[in-house]
Amino acid sequence: MTERTDEVTGRGPFVVLEGVEGAGKSTQARMLGVWLESCGVPFTLTREPGGTEVGEAIRNVVQDRPELSVPPKTELLLFLAARTAFVREVAQPVLERGELLIADRFSLSTLAYQGYGRGLDLDEVRRMDGFASGGLVPDLYVLLDLPVEQGRARQKEAGKTGDRLESSGTTFLKEVGRGYRELAATDPSVRLVDADGTPDEVHKRIRAVLRREMPETFASCED
Ligand code: TMP
């Protein structure tokens, strides 16, 4: 019998921001935080693969060391190792208090980057992700939709140098972009938001999606 000690029960709403590099996730996460504070919704904002001490350590290995050669399955297992800690230490306590959790990336990233980008078998990635996340599934993925080239151009403009994954080449990133779109077409929990626009414009689009899709959670917030 499989023991599922990580299983999350009786839980608050869980929203995840996703997108390719340069789509503006971090900016949008910050803006969402300000909005939620203004309307008094208790929330926790986190990022994957960080958010826990071990997650930050894994992030250092998997992202910040472009010189390391990391086989695709090793990369997958590192992200999933961080996810297990994230679910147990961050997500579970917040959701069990019935509070809103907003995460910068979750399982959809793994499917897009390690599944499509690295070419690992999608069903296998899903299965292993289910094991790592204890079956925790977000209520809503907000996918910031931007062509890969445009995201890269934004990053260049902002003077950001690529980390190990970003340096993996245009073909890899294009596959990630294609993966996101394919996943969005088949997963009913994914909503695409056009990320082409000023931060304010994109923020308003996200607000509208959240109010429409999760009216109970965002009832006290203005459009
Ligand atoms: P970010 O902090 O800019 O979002 O970067 C996180 C990087 O890690 C980004 O290149 C995507 C990658 N990533 C994966 O490849 N798989 C995953 O499961 C997660 C969470 C992130």
Side-chain angles (χ1 to χ4, degrees), residues 21 25 59 63 79 83 105 109-110 113-114 165:
E21 351 285 318
K25 278 185 303 91
R59 190 184 177 99
Q63 276 175 257
F79 279 114
R83 178 150 309 138
R105 297 196 184 280
S109 281
T110 320
Y113 283 80
Q114 279 66 53
L165 280 111

Side-chain angles (χ1 to χ4, degrees), residues 123-153:
D123 287 336
E124 206 164 33
V125 174
R126 269 187 220 281
R127 197 168 47 77
M128 298 189 68
D129 173 64
F131 171 73
S133 61
L136 177 61
V137 179
D139 298 291
L140 185 69
Y141 278 109
V142 176
L143 173 54
L144 298 181
D145 188 34
L146 195 75
V148 164
E149 298 84 352
Q150 216 173 319
R152 289 200 114 177

Side-chain angles (χ1 to χ4, degrees), residues 45-205:
L45 191 62
T46 63
R47 72 167 185 184
E48 271 228 328
T52 63
E53 261 183 80
V54 69
E56 293 293 344
I58 291 172
R59 190 184 177 99
N60 287 343
V61 173
V62 84
Q63 276 175 257
D64 302 340
R65 303 209 27 208
E67 80 283 7
L68 280 187
S69 154
V70 182
K73 281 189 180 172
T74 305
E75 185 178 275
L76 170 70
L77 291 168
L78 286 168
F79 279 114
L80 294 184
R83 178 150 309 138
T84 302
F86 169 81
V87 168
R88 181 181 277 265
E89 290 176 27
V90 180
Q92 203 155 307
V94 173
L95 296 173
E96 278 175 0
R97 284 199 301 275
E99 286 178 13
L100 169 65
L101 176 66
I102 300 183
D104 184 337
R105 297 196 184 280
F106 197 62
S107 304
L108 204 68
S109 281
T110 320
L111 291 167
Y113 283 80
Q114 279 66 53
Y116 284 84
R118 297 296 188 215
L120 293 176
D121 181 78
L122 262 192
D123 287 336
E124 206 164 33
V125 174
R126 269 187 220 281
R127 197 168 47 77
M128 298 189 68
D129 173 64
F131 171 73
S133 61
L136 177 61
V137 179
D139 298 291
L140 185 69
Y141 278 109
V142 176
L143 173 54
L144 298 181
D145 188 34
L146 195 75
V148 164
E149 298 84 352
Q150 216 173 319
R152 289 200 114 177
R154 275 189 186 173
Q155 290 213 302
K156 257 196 191 153
E157 234 174 71
K160 284 191 190 150
T161 51
D163 66 20
R164 205 182 52 80
L165 280 111
E166 286 157 28
S167 327
S168 294
T170 313
T171 314
F172 167 74
L173 289 177
K174 280 201 169 153
E175 276 307 295
V176 173
R178 187 177 72 82
Y180 267 133
R181 287 190 171 197
E182 272 196 31
L183 292 162
T186 51
D187 183 338
S189 67
V190 182
R191 293 289 170 279
L192 281 183
V193 169
D194 182 3
D196 186 9
T198 64
D200 266 336
E201 284 165 346
V202 179
H203 175 56
K204 283 197 182 122
R205 289 174 200 148

Side-chain angles (χ1 to χ4, degrees), residues 202-221:
V202 179
H203 175 56
K204 283 197 182 122
R205 289 174 200 148
I206 296 177
R207 274 156 72 149
V209 167
L210 293 179
R211 299 246 307 145
R212 188 180 68 230
E213 300 297 328
M214 300 172 77
E216 280 173 27
T217 305
F218 299 100
S220 60
C221 302

